[in-house]
Amino acid sequence: MHLLFVTSIVPDGALASGYEIANAAIIAALRRAGARVTVIGFTWPGKVAADPENTVVLGAIDVRTESASALQKLAWVGKAMLSGLTFASVKLRAVSEHEVQAALEQAGPFDGYVLNSVQFAGAFEKLLEDKPSIFVAHNVEHLSARENAAAAGGVFQRLLFRREARLLKVVEERLCRRARYVFTLAEEDRAALGVAAADRSAVLPLVTGAEAPTRNGPRRIECDAALIGTWTWQPNRIGLDWFLGKVVPHLRPDFRIRIAGHVPSGVTSAHPGVEFVGRVADARAFVWGAAVVPLISTAGSGVQLKTIETFELGLPSVATSRSLRGIDHRPDNCVVTDDPAGFARALEAAVADIRDVDGGAFYRQQVKALDAAIRYGLSKLGAVRQEVLA
């Protein structure tokens, strides 16, 4: 069976974000299940598709709000208001419906859609109703928008997020209702989307690479704790603010914390051990040099890819309960607490007694469960014979 994987940004092989890592894992699992997969969407400016023979590129686009000019942001807001689309979807209206329709026809005969998240599907919804679909909900977007509204600093931003939440709820309900099957990345998201029944949805356990991470000798510890992320994304920013404002003050002054990734202006810490290091060349090597990894999610939905990567690497961690969304198995060297003072104490205890574990077992368990979920979902489209699932 030929499936069209409809997404905002097509894979370019860089795996620079959790969204891209999740997409790569899902596409690979679809192909392992026997489906032919063609991807359609945009590239980042200056990037090319990793698999051009199986990709239809609509053009290059930068959808990041934080890097857009004030004029571009204003244009997006105005276009969203006039069109009735969400702010996230209207960014993808850089091409017309006619151009998208032509690209769909270029993809050749196909049997169904895999609608990857709500942004593209919401931008061109009417064009994607002619074939059966599977909907992949990376997050419950309307709940994330509602949380963003509550955390927003300004009135205009708060109103914009509230509008986004209201519209997203309607679009997500519609996409779930039309889909033959829904995949989420966290168990609680199934109920939040109204598709908790086993014949309507399943969770996709994810992995961060084509193979389990391997070690080359003992680790060289260069700091006590390391965090890396896209801190301009509002749910991540909320977690970072919680960590810096609530947890870090409880840590001893000589506790060394390195934070990688672009940090928005205004994010600071008075703790002498906190260092903002910006972009790093190798994210895995960066966390590999930490005695412990803080997993600090306090908002958002979906799965935390940083949690999965930490567990695959077998690194010690201290996690909020929110950071374990979509994770069925927690390694022995992960401590869970939502209390800021307890979080700080657990970090210091982990540094005093560093305990790495073999992450290979976690990786294999994730792949096995991922493949089983994908095969069952595809059976709803007739892509896999039922006897294969036995």
Side-chain angles (χ1 to χ4, degrees):
M1 176 168 278
H2 184 194
L3 299 177
L4 200 60
F5 189 87
V6 181
T7 187
S8 53
I9 304 295
V10 305
D12 59 21
L15 302 183
S17 70
Y19 178 73
E20 292 161 337
I21 291 170
N23 291 345
I26 294 167
I27 292 170
L30 288 168
R31 287 173 173 158
R32 285 197 300 271
R36 176 188 168 201
V37 181
T38 297
V39 181
I40 184 170
F42 296 88
T43 61
W44 291 110
K47 300 289 187 178
V48 297
D51 182 14
E53 292 185 359
N54 296 297
T55 305
V56 178
V57 177
L58 295 169
I61 191 171
D62 190 339
V63 294
R64 293 170 294 191
T65 303
E66 69 275 6
S67 61
S69 66
L71 187 61
Q72 177 64 80
K73 293 175 186 175
L74 189 61
W76 281 335
V77 171
K79 197 172 181 180
M81 296 298 178
L82 289 172
S83 66
L85 295 174
T86 67
F87 184 69
S89 287
V90 83
K91 296 176 183 180
L92 302 178
R93 284 287 188 138
V95 294
S96 68
E97 288 190 347
H98 176 74
E99 289 172 296
V100 174
Q101 182 63 54
L104 295 175
E105 293 171 2
Q106 176 190 338
F110 56 91
D111 303 291
Y113 298 107
V114 178
L115 303 179
N116 186 50
S117 199
V118 72
Q119 289 81 9
F120 192 104
F124 300 100
E125 196 172 348
K126 293 297 183 183
L127 300 180
L128 305 171
E129 297 177 355
D130 61 320
K131 296 275 196 308
S133 65
I134 287 175
F135 177 47
V136 182
H138 285 241
N139 305 280
V140 183
E141 298 287 356
H142 77 271
L143 293 183
S144 295
R146 192 180 298 169
E147 289 179 333
N148 293 346
V155 174
F156 179 74
Q157 191 179 33
R158 189 178 307 118
L159 291 174
L160 187 61
F161 277 127
R162 285 177 179 171
R163 175 186 183 273
E164 200 82 347
R166 185 177 68 256
L167 295 178
L168 281 168
K169 188 173 191 298
V170 175
V171 175
E172 286 178 317
E173 287 176 349
R174 203 157 51 225
L175 291 173
C176 287
R177 185 170 62 250
R178 290 178 182 153
R180 295 282 182 89
Y181 206 66
V182 178
F183 288 129
T184 68
L185 305 186
E187 180 62 39
E188 53 266 40
D189 292 357
R190 298 173 65 211
L193 289 168
V195 290
D199 64 342
R200 291 289 296 123
S201 71
V203 176
L204 293 182
L206 297 179
V207 291
T208 64
E211 297 178 348
T214 57
R215 298 190 177 196
N216 295 317
R219 294 200 295 133
R220 178 181 176 183
I221 304 301
E222 298 178 346
C223 63
D224 292 320
L227 299 89
I228 184 170
T230 305
W231 307 116
T232 50
W233 188 49
Q234 190 67 11
N236 285 357
R237 168 68 185 272
I238 293 169
L240 183 62
D241 287 344
W242 174 81
F243 179 72
L244 293 175
K246 303 293 186 181
V247 176
V248 167
H250 293 286
L251 294 167
R252 61 177 188 267
D254 63 344
F255 194 91
R256 302 164 299 157
I257 306 166
R258 291 183 179 176
I259 301 174
H262 178 62
V263 177
S265 60
V267 176
T268 60
S269 175
H271 190 284
V274 173
E275 180 184 5
F276 297 97
V277 300
R279 181 180 175 84
V280 295
D282 189 330
R284 182 165 291 178
F286 174 73
V287 297
W288 195 257
V292 61
V293 179
L295 302 170
I296 59 172
S297 178
T298 61
S301 56
V303 71
Q304 290 290 299
L305 268 297
K306 288 303 172 188
T307 301
I308 290 175
E309 183 175 40
T310 300
F311 290 177
E312 287 177 349
L313 292 170
L315 300 178
S317 61
V318 179
T320 62
S321 56
R322 204 87 179 247
S323 297
L324 299 182
R325 298 188 305 265
I327 308 293
D328 288 333
H329 172 69
R330 174 168 59 90
D332 293 337
N333 62 346
C334 174
V335 176
V336 183
T337 178
D338 293 312
D339 173 62
F343 200 102
R345 288 193 300 270
L347 287 174
E348 292 181 346
V351 171
D353 180 21
I354 300 173
R355 295 187 301 113
D356 293 359
V357 299
D358 177 15
F362 175 83
Y363 179 91
R364 291 186 293 273
Q365 183 181 24
Q366 291 286 103
V367 170
K368 182 179 179 181
L370 168 62
D371 286 352
I374 287 286
R375 289 197 303 270
Y376 185 79
L378 288 183
S379 73
K380 296 294 184 175
L381 291 177
V384 179
R385 296 188 308 274
Q386 286 294 332
E387 58 264 28
V388 176
L389 304 175

